[in-house]
Amino acid sequence: MTETVKVGLIGPNDSVNETMKASGSLDGIELIPFIYQHTEETKNILNQHSARIGHWLFSGPAPYHFALKEKLIDADHADYILLHGSSLLGTMLDAFMQEGAVLSSISVDSVPRREVLKMLKDFDLEKLEIHTAPELGYIPAEELIDYHEKLYRSGRIQAALTCVHAAYNGLKERGVPVYRISVSELAAHRAISVIKERSLSDLYRMKQLAMIGIEIIYPSQAQQRKTPFKIERQELAMNRVLIDFAEEVKGSKVGMGNGIYFIYTTRGELELYSKSHHPEELKEEIFANSKFQVRIGIGYGRTVTESEQNVRLALDYAREKENGVVINIDEGGKVTEINSSGDRLRYSRRSSESKWQEALKGAAISQTVISRIESLSHHYAKVELTALELSQWMNSTERNARRILTELESIGLAEVAGEEAGRRGRPRKLYRLLFGA
């Protein structure tokens, strides 16, 4: 059975109607219309309906850029109908017919200048003078009205062409010859197809399996032998927290033994939970109720096997960290470290650099460590560092950091750039990272 995706369609009445007609030939998508008189009404529409609609299609660039400017949408879940030269040409021909003459100079907004120039060249209209409004995202209707009217009053244009409904009405009221650029069926069809593919991709992604691994950091064996019943009571208290958490993410809890618990859910449920909760909150709640410190790893996958492999790998990574970061590994091998303040460090455990793979043969350092150091270098915007600084970046010992830098030097990914001056005792070597070389 084909999935049907719901997409909110925002625009003035005429543009929305034309777009709705174009959607009739596409299966698997349901456009839900939201009509406005003025672009700024987009804010209320999004605030009222974003909770039930995940993807948005805008009838033109004006409402889209307005929503981006107001931070009401993100570009991954929204798109707009790009006005091509075909839309402009149709409106120009209509203007010529109504004016009873071929106009020699006009002004245009909302159509990219490259599309205007292409249209002029394709139809041998390069003698036509066209003024285009600045392409700087959202421009209020009043500014567009002033732009076109100023050109008209100064005699530089004979008519204005606009996509913005409010600008069209405003120019008519001021007596400026104006024509509305309408959405072409082809442009609408293309935009709907793009947003449909995005929506389906996101829908499948949200249905991916997600596993949250929680591992108890037990006290020493000697302490466990002294207080066995205390440990059992702590585990019971922790289980109550995990049951509540599993219920909240609509998942199920499984004990894997040796103080490890897995909670199975979907990516969509976990991301919905993460919108209002930080992963650190679960650790804090477990500690508050059971006095257990825990590690948390999260694994995503297209299958149960893949997600379980990733959550076990995430826990392995978490064991290496002294500061208790939450480790997240997705189906593409991307690793995300989330610290207690919410900062995220992303890197890949699979290097795509063939020269690294060749250089790493026989080296005592992994591709994952290299990827992590490269990401840390970008994060701190620094390519020269000492072993002490690297140890602080990686929460490891200075001795281990020195070994890593020596290995990087041996395979050509670092070089000695000098020594750190102004210190007592043995000077520290200053290394330069060569990932971009």
Side-chain angles (χ1 to χ4, degrees):
M1 184 178 175
T2 305
E3 294 276 7
T4 298
V5 295
K6 292 184 177 181
V7 174
L9 172 62
I10 297 180
N13 189 57
D14 54 355
S15 296
V16 167
N17 286 338
E18 287 300 314
T19 307
M20 292 294 288
K21 288 178 189 175
S23 71
S25 59
L26 282 172
D27 294 328
I29 187 162
E30 179 187 351
L31 292 184
I32 301 171
F34 296 92
I35 294 168
Y36 64 67
Q37 294 294 321
H38 300 278
T39 300
E40 292 73 17
E41 293 170 35
T42 300
K43 186 171 186 176
N44 287 334
I45 292 170
L46 291 168
N47 284 336
Q48 290 175 28
H49 301 284
S50 284
R52 67 185 182 94
I53 294 176
H55 287 77
W56 293 93
L57 178 61
F58 296 84
S59 66
Y64 173 83
H65 286 296
F66 171 77
L68 271 184
K69 176 177 170 286
E70 295 291 319
K71 298 181 179 177
L72 301 167
I73 57 168
D74 69 75
D76 290 334
H77 297 89
D79 210 334
Y80 65 91
I81 299 173
L82 179 64
L83 296 171
H84 297 281
S86 58
S87 300
L88 177 59
L89 181 63
T91 308
M92 282 175 50
L93 292 175
D94 183 44
F96 295 169
M97 292 288 290
Q98 292 196 43
E99 295 294 324
V102 175
L103 303 177
S104 60
S105 57
I106 58 175
S107 57
V108 175
D109 65 53
S110 305
V111 181
R113 183 157 183 80
R114 66 179 183 277
E115 287 289 328
V116 173
L117 296 175
K118 184 177 182 300
M119 184 271 297
L120 293 176
K121 184 177 181 181
D122 289 347
F123 294 95
D124 196 23
L125 294 169
E126 291 174 284
K127 291 183 180 179
L128 179 63
E129 184 182 0
I130 297 186
H131 299 264
T132 53
E135 295 179 49
L136 296 175
Y138 165 69
I139 301 174
E142 281 301 317
E143 290 185 24
L144 287 176
I145 293 168
D146 290 343
Y147 168 78
H148 292 292
E149 185 181 22
K150 185 176 179 181
L151 288 170
Y152 178 71
R153 302 296 177 203
S154 65
R156 296 172 66 189
I157 63 167
Q158 295 163 289
L161 276 60
T162 181
C163 174
V164 179
H165 188 263
Y168 173 76
N169 289 335
L171 287 166
K172 281 187 73 174
E173 289 173 5
R174 297 188 189 187
V176 177
V178 60
Y179 298 87
R180 181 84 189 285
I181 304 172
S182 58
V183 172
S184 72
E185 187 173 346
L186 177 60
H189 197 281
R190 284 178 181 172
I192 295 166
S193 297
V194 169
I195 202 76
K196 176 188 171 183
E197 291 304 315
R198 275 197 196 178
S199 303
L200 283 172
S201 175
D202 201 46
L203 186 64
Y204 295 145
R205 181 175 172 271
M206 290 298 102
K207 288 184 177 181
Q208 273 186 353
L209 287 167
M211 286 192 194
I212 305 97
I214 300 98
E215 181 180 26
I216 298 171
I217 303 173
Y218 283 116
S220 67
Q221 290 290 332
Q223 288 176 304
Q224 288 186 56
R225 285 194 293 271
K226 286 180 183 177
T227 57
F229 293 113
K230 179 183 177 183
I231 298 292
E232 286 186 32
R233 291 190 188 95
Q234 286 177 278
E235 288 180 347
L236 286 170
M238 174 175 160
N239 265 281
R240 284 193 289 271
V241 175
L242 295 184
I243 289 169
D244 289 342
F245 173 71
E247 184 178 20
E248 191 162 2
V249 297
K250 296 181 174 61
S252 57
K253 179 181 74 70
V254 178
M256 308 302 291
N258 298 319
I260 296 176
Y261 299 85
F262 284 175
I263 292 173
Y264 296 72
T265 184
T266 64
R267 188 176 199 140
E269 289 295 339
L270 189 56
E271 291 194 2
L272 181 63
Y273 171 86
S274 299
K275 286 181 179 179
S276 54
H277 299 82
H278 187 279
E280 192 73 17
E281 290 179 29
L282 179 59
K283 294 174 68 175
E284 291 171 356
E285 192 173 353
I286 289 170
F287 182 77
N289 285 271
S290 69
K291 299 299 182 254
F292 272 143
Q293 296 283 1
V294 297
R295 302 181 184 94
I296 294 180
I298 300 169
Y300 296 116
R302 289 164 286 240
T303 65
V304 173
T305 302
E306 186 178 48
S307 55
E308 185 169 336
Q309 286 174 344
N310 284 336
V311 75
R312 289 187 183 279
L313 187 60
L315 286 173
D316 286 342
Y317 276 54
R319 292 185 192 106
E320 298 173 4
K321 314 300 174 190
E322 295 177 4
N323 57 354
V325 297
V326 175
I327 303 293
N328 177 322
I329 300 181
D330 70 14
E331 72 287 355
K334 292 281 192 245
V335 181
T336 303
E337 296 183 10
I338 310 169
N339 66 22
S340 57
S341 62
D343 294 331
R344 294 169 185 257
L345 176 68
R346 294 182 173 88
Y347 53 93
S348 175
R349 65 186 182 89
R350 302 168 186 164
S351 171
S352 60
E353 295 284 349
S354 57
K355 64 178 182 179
W356 292 8
Q357 293 169 4
E358 188 63 32
L360 282 169
K361 289 180 179 177
I365 189 171
S366 70
Q367 293 178 19
T368 300
V369 171
I370 293 177
S371 294
R372 185 165 185 257
I373 294 171
E374 184 182 25
S375 294
L376 286 163
S377 173
H378 288 308
H379 180 75
Y380 291 109
K382 193 169 185 179
V383 294
E384 292 188 356
L385 73 166
T386 64
L388 176 62
E389 288 172 308
L390 182 61
S391 70
Q392 292 168 344
W393 284 8
M394 301 188 70
N395 295 297
S396 70
T397 63
E398 188 174 353
R399 180 179 178 182
N400 185 51
R402 197 177 299 117
R403 178 190 65 78
I404 290 171
L405 287 168
T406 302
E407 285 292 331
L408 289 176
E409 183 186 9
S410 71
I411 61 176
L413 292 178
E415 64 182 10
V416 176
E419 293 182 341
E420 190 177 42
R423 296 186 58 86
R424 292 182 180 180
R426 185 179 175 183
R428 290 193 175 101
K429 286 183 180 180
L430 184 67
Y431 287 86
R432 181 181 296 114
L433 300 175
L434 303 174
F435 296 122

